[in-house]
Amino acid sequence: MTKIFIDPGHGGRDPGAVANGLQEKALVLDIALRMRNMLLNEYEGVQVRMSRDKDVFVSLEERARMANSWGADYFVSVHINAGGGTGFESFVHTSQASRTVALRNVVHDEIIRALSGVRDRGKKVANFAVLRLTRMPAILTENLFVDHVQDASRLKDPNFLSRIARGHAEGIAKAFGLRKKQQQQQSSTSQSTSTATSGNVMYRVVTGSFRDRENAERRVAELKKAGFESFIDVYRP
Ligand SMILES: [Zn+2]
């Protein structure tokens, strides 16, 4: 089991950065909850705990204590920047432990990939309390600037918050070698077809069975129109 501790910054009486009608504490909680769901729903062998899952104040020492006493494998603190600038940057502690740096490099690059078009401000170090007090590898991410007009308009889009979460989740999965859960699709007459490969095994998804060839061809035409590769396989039930 890989234990991932997600730490949405600020909360309660501490709103974090505030500008353009946005509050850091609400944005990072939204991103963190999306991350948790992605990790738990899509990956095997992972446990997630959070320093907060609602709008409450938690001290920096308490955040680190929770992760330490749980024995987390990774501590991920999520923040939004302010103070003039644009883009994404990540931090590890100034001690720069080699495993911490290696994990950060993977996670940082996946987030940048998920946020195409956003400026990469770089991989940085800082003596932040949560990075200093945690006993496991830790990263702190600063995801765009609330006080930058274009960044703020991106942060107002739930799809963009989902992309931030996606970058974090995929970065964590890659860094820790988490395996994707097998996708299970229910058979129904209107589902799409797809074939996924995993190693040397192939999984075929059947979208429908028809007694009449014409109906089968109509379904194939519909799927192709929708962008799904498909073909007719004849069999005798
Ligand atoms: Zn912050």
Side-chain angles (χ1 to χ4, degrees):
M1 266 303 160
T2 303
K3 295 175 168 184
I4 305 296
F5 191 92
I6 304 175
D7 173 42
H10 314 279
R13 60 183 150 88
D14 170 16
V18 178
N20 291 309
L22 293 169
Q23 288 194 320
E24 180 181 0
K25 68 173 184 177
L27 293 169
V28 295
L29 179 58
D30 184 306
I31 293 163
L33 289 168
R34 290 172 195 266
M35 271 170 71
R36 177 175 72 177
N37 291 342
M38 287 171 187
L39 286 168
L40 294 178
N41 292 338
E42 300 174 24
Y43 294 93
E44 291 174 354
V46 61
Q47 292 181 330
V48 176
R49 281 199 195 172
M50 296 173 69
S51 55
R52 64 183 183 94
D53 60 7
K54 50 185 181 294
D55 184 18
V56 292
F57 178 83
V58 184
S59 73
L60 299 176
E61 294 74 16
E62 176 64 9
R63 292 165 197 257
R65 197 200 59 74
M66 288 164 75
N68 290 342
S69 67
W70 185 39
D73 294 300
Y74 202 36
F75 184 96
V76 185
S77 193
V78 183
H79 290 255
I80 310 290
N81 228 329
T86 178
F88 172 83
E89 62 196 16
S90 69
F91 291 87
V92 294
H93 188 246
T94 45
S95 58
Q96 299 190 67
S98 61
R99 179 162 158 76
T100 299
V101 171
L103 293 169
R104 184 271 286 279
N105 290 344
V106 174
V107 174
H108 181 109
D109 290 348
E110 283 300 312
I111 294 168
I112 287 296
R113 198 207 312 244
L115 301 184
S116 56
V118 166
R119 181 182 300 174
D120 183 354
R121 301 171 57 83
K123 296 165 178 161
K124 302 184 176 182
V125 298
N127 187 24
F128 293 143
V130 290
L131 300 178
R132 183 178 64 250
L133 299 173
T134 42
R135 290 200 292 264
M136 69 292 305
I139 185 174
L140 185 147
T141 63
E142 290 280 5
N143 301 274
L144 289 76
F145 285 67
V146 282
D147 57 354
H148 182 276
V149 171
Q150 200 189 346
D151 280 12
S153 75
R154 282 176 150 150
L155 292 168
K156 286 175 185 172
D157 175 3
N159 290 324
F160 189 82
L161 299 182
S162 199
R163 278 170 61 193
I164 295 175
R166 173 65 56 197
H168 284 71
E170 291 190 355
I172 291 163
K174 194 170 176 184
F176 286 88
L178 300 180
R179 285 161 42 122
K180 276 249 178 200
K181 285 183 183 170
Q182 300 281 336
Q183 296 292 321
Q184 300 240 329
Q185 290 197 24
Q186 293 298 312
S187 172
S188 84
T189 55
S190 62
Q191 78 185 37
S192 61
T193 59
S194 63
T195 305
T197 59
S198 171
N200 291 324
V201 185
M202 307 262 298
Y203 302 94
R204 177 172 293 160
V205 178
V206 177
T207 184
S209 300
F210 305 89
R211 293 208 175 275
D212 185 356
R213 172 121 204 159
E214 209 177 298
N215 288 340
E217 282 170 352
R218 188 177 308 133
R219 171 60 56 83
V220 167
E222 286 166 6
L223 287 164
K224 284 188 172 157
K225 203 173 161 192
F228 297 103
E229 214 181 300
S230 47
F231 59 88
I232 294 170
D233 201 10
V234 180
Y235 73 105
R236 300 189 190 285

